[in-house]
């Protein structure tokens, strides 16, 4: 087949295949953010907590992962987890673990700043009402910290969405890699790469738009 | 019925007993040898220059700030004791702050319900009813579904008082409850506090509202540089303040 001109047929033809790739991308993004946020918040609580040893351990963890390239972390978990567990765990699980562990380090720092942005008087008010430390964090401090941090949390989420493209190194077909497969097998590089760019651009713009609306909704402060 | 002994306090003292309390921030001593006793139903107004330790004195009573020297008991329970359940103790002491400190992310009614449900274990209905009772009492039942930022300062402070009262506390602490308010809103808050005092609530109030002190207080404490330098009945305080610093301070705040 001749590769001259812009062939839109190939794009339509490959939609089901690309959609499958996008599903994997979204799955990794959502689970990575969810897990990373939970683990990162726990790390932040450790870093800010009374227990010196925990604070030190959490701090070391964060500094360590923040100095590693993501792709290296992906390689590690892909090759190390089977060694530790003693059996194959599958590319998806190992990559997801890598994302969660890696993102948690960043979310920890975001949440730490978020928690510190909540006025100390708020924590005092919760304490004075008799809330325990955990209740005070859960019902008073963290909801406000999350809200203050939504813009940064979201831009970090968008970075992760883009970073999932790295999973091709362990042979997983995410959106980009799926498009790449089509591009090479059909020799339609331009069509596929432009489509990929448009899709990434639209989805990130949409996410940003939603965040801005969300912030407006929360603006009654 | 046991008539020989007050039901509050186990050591024959008042509801709040401070004995030779000392507190440091690092090298800096904020409270020095502070002793006082507040009986059930007493209203004590605390005044003194900025930085004299008034807020700190209030905060050590419910353990929001730790102290290093002396003892404090509340209703017979030692505040500084490591084994004391501070959350439980605090739930019995209402506290009102200068900056209201309502929780901005939840509605007015949720502000009042939160600790009732999480600390006292009240059911949703019960907490809601109690909250509405108290909102009515402070004249704000129509504001229940708004968020704190939609209320004026005076309204927010009245909600904060209702939030404290919802825990059915046996004493209330106030830290300059009117000093962040515009002048026209001060009275609506003082009126609520006056009513509370008349109902027999035990209160410690950091305030420079001397009109309020004259009307409502049983005692006045004057602090300076971390010391309690005057602790006397309202009549003695306004009649014949003995210390020079207190005299000077009084003349300053009474002239405007
Ligand atoms: N967290 C803190 N760390 C160090 N020093 C503090 C801290 N909080 C208060 N201080 C100092 O302790 C002293 C007493 O503070 P406190 O807030 O009790 O005074 P205050 O009488 O309430 O003053 P104001 O009228 O301004 O509210 C002040 O000199 C203050 O600078
Ligand atoms: Mg103060």
């Amino acid at each position: 087949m001749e590769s001259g001109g812009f062939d839109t047929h190939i794009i339509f033809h490959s939609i089901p295949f690309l959609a499958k790739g996008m599903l994997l991308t979204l799955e990794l993004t959502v689970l990575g953010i969810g897990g990373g946020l939970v683990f990162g918040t726990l790390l932040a609580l450790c870093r800010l907590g009374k227990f010196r040893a925990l604070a030190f351990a959490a701090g070391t963890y964060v500094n360590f992962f923040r100095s590693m390239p993501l792709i290296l972390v992906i390689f590690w978990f892909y090759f190390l987890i089977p060694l530790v567990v003693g059996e194959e765990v599958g590319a998806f699980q190992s990559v997801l673990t890598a994302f969660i562990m890696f993102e948690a380090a960043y979310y920890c720092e975001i949440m730490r700043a978020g928690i510190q942005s909540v006025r100390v008087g708020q924590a005092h008010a919760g304490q004075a009402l008799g809330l325990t430390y955990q209740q005070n964090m859960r019902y008073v401090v963290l909801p406000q910290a999350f809200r203050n941090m939504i813009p940064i949390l979201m831009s970090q989420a968008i970075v992760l969405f883009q970073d999932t493209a790295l999973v091709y190194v362990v042979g997983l077909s995410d959106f980009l890699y799926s498009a790449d497969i089509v591009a090479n097998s059909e020799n339609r590089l331009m069509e596929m790469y432009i489509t990929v760019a448009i899709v990434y651009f639209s989805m990130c713009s949409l996410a940003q738009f939603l965040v801005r609306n969300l912030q407006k909704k929360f603006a009654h402060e | 019925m046991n008539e020989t002994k007050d039901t509050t306090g186990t050591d024959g003292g008042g509801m709040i007993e401070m004995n030779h309390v000392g507190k440091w921030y690092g090298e800096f001593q904020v409270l020095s040898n502070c002793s006082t006793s507040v009986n059930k139903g007493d209203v004590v107004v605390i005044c003194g220059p900025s930085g004299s330790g008034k807020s700190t004195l209030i905060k050590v009573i419910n353990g929001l700030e730790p102290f290093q020297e002396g003892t404090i008991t509340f209703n017979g329970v030692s505040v500084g004791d490591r084994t004391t359940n501070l959350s439980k103790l605090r739930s019995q002491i209402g506290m009102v702050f200068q900056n209201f400190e309502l929780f901005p992310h939840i509605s007015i009614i949720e502000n009042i319900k939160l600790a009732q449900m999480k600390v006292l274990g009240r059911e949703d209905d019960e907490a809601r009813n109690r909250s509405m009772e108290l909102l009515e009492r402070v004249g704000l039942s129509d504001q229940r579904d708004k968020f704190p930022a939609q209320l004026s300062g005076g309204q927010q402070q009245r909600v904060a008082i209702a939030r404290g009262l919802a825990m059915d506390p046996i004493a209330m602490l106030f830290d300059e409850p009117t000093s962040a308010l515009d002048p026209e809103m001060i009275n609506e808050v003082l009126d609520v506090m006056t009513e509370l005092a008349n109902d027999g609530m035990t209160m410690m109030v950091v305030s420079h509202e001397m009109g309020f002190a004259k009307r409502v207080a049983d005692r006045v404490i004057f602090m300076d540089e971390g010391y309690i330098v005057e602790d006397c009945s309202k009549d003695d305080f306004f009649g014949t303040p003995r210390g020079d610093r207190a005299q000077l301070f009084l003349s300053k705040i009474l002239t405007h």
Side-chain angles (χ1 to χ4, degrees), chain B residues 25-26 28-31 48-57 59 65 98 175-176 206 208 223:
Chain B
Y25 281 121
F28 177 68
Q29 186 160 14
V30 213
L31 295 179
S50 181
S52 57
K54 305 178 297 293
S55 298
T56 310
L57 188 82
K59 283 182 193 150
E65 289 287 352
Q98 182 170 358
D175 190 2
E176 307 210 34
V206 177
H208 292 152
M223 291 190 70

Side-chain angles (χ1 to χ4, degrees), chain A residues 119 122 127-128 135 139 144, chain B residues 90 101-102 104-105 118:
Chain A
R119 283 208 324 270
Q122 285 285 304
Q127 272 178 286
Q135 290 175 326
Y139 300 112
Q144 295 185 61
Chain B
R90 287 175 185 138
E101 304 298 353
L102 294 181
H105 57 297
K118 303 302 172 197

Side-chain angles (χ1 to χ4, degrees), chain A residues 109-139:
Chain A
E109 290 308 272
I110 294 173
M111 283 315 295
R112 192 161 71 114
I115 290 169
Q116 284 171 333
S117 76
V118 178
R119 283 208 324 270
V120 72
Q122 285 285 304
H124 273 169
Q127 272 178 286
L129 285 165
L131 296 176
T132 61
Y133 177 81
Q134 283 88 347
Q135 290 175 326
N136 209 16
M137 276 292 162
R138 176 159 169 209
Y139 300 112

